[in-house]
Amino acid sequence: MLLEDAQKTAGYLNLPNSQAWVPAFLLADNGFAHTKTVMQPYRKTQLTSENHLFNEQLSASRVKIENLFGILTSKFKIFRRDLNLDPENSRALIIAACVIHNITVGPLPLIDDDDIEPPAEDPYLTPECLRSALKHYLLYQ
């Protein structure tokens, strides 16, 4: 099964070199609520050495994403101003810019997930279960 097929059918993505499946989520800071669709770092009161390492990994990912937006803004002048588009057209524009950027970067490796089936139902009872699974993946894979 192709990664795109799994995402469409179950809404989950298989983490590379892992049996773990996670839904798409937004990376946020502690100003946002922690839900299954919004991943935030552990708060200071929850910090253990393991949680601190996880926070560093999340922070590094957020920096990479912010850098990508900087690259898109420098490459495509349209992002230097308000888009003034409806949300559907804004999404299409951003996706098109990402596709064009990826073409200029070169071919990306394809992931073959033929032997791995997406979960039939949500394997995470709470947002904390999802964050724990992601933490385990980031720190021990």
Side-chain angles (χ1 to χ4, degrees), residues 25-26 32-40 126-128 130-131:
F25 54 83
L26 299 172
F32 295 87
H34 180 217
T35 67
K36 289 183 182 179
T37 56
V38 178
M39 183 68 57
Q40 66 169 206
T126 67
E128 187 56 38
L130 172 59
R131 182 164 58 181

Side-chain angles (χ1 to χ4, degrees), residues 64-126:
K64 288 176 186 175
I65 292 166
E66 289 169 8
N67 288 341
L68 175 62
F69 279 109
I71 290 169
L72 289 177
T73 300
S74 68
K75 196 177 266 192
F76 302 101
K77 292 180 183 179
I78 192 165
F79 295 123
R80 295 181 189 165
R81 60 177 177 80
D82 291 342
L83 293 180
N84 293 324
L85 299 171
D86 63 69
E88 186 174 319
N89 288 340
S90 294
R91 279 189 223 101
L93 176 64
I94 292 167
I95 290 169
C98 290
V99 168
I100 292 168
H101 169 75
N102 287 342
I103 289 170
T104 63
V105 169
L108 299 173
L110 296 177
I111 298 172
D112 185 17
D113 285 337
D114 287 338
D115 299 333
I116 305 172
E117 291 294 322
E121 58 187 48
D122 187 355
Y124 307 106
L125 300 176
T126 67

Side-chain angles (χ1 to χ4, degrees), residues 14-21 50 57 132-141:
N14 179 242
L15 296 173
N17 303 316
S18 165
Q19 294 294 320
W21 288 83
E50 188 176 69
Q57 293 284 334
S132 293
L134 184 61
K135 177 176 66 174
H136 186 269
Y137 172 77
L138 289 174
L139 299 181
Y140 302 111
Q141 287 294 327

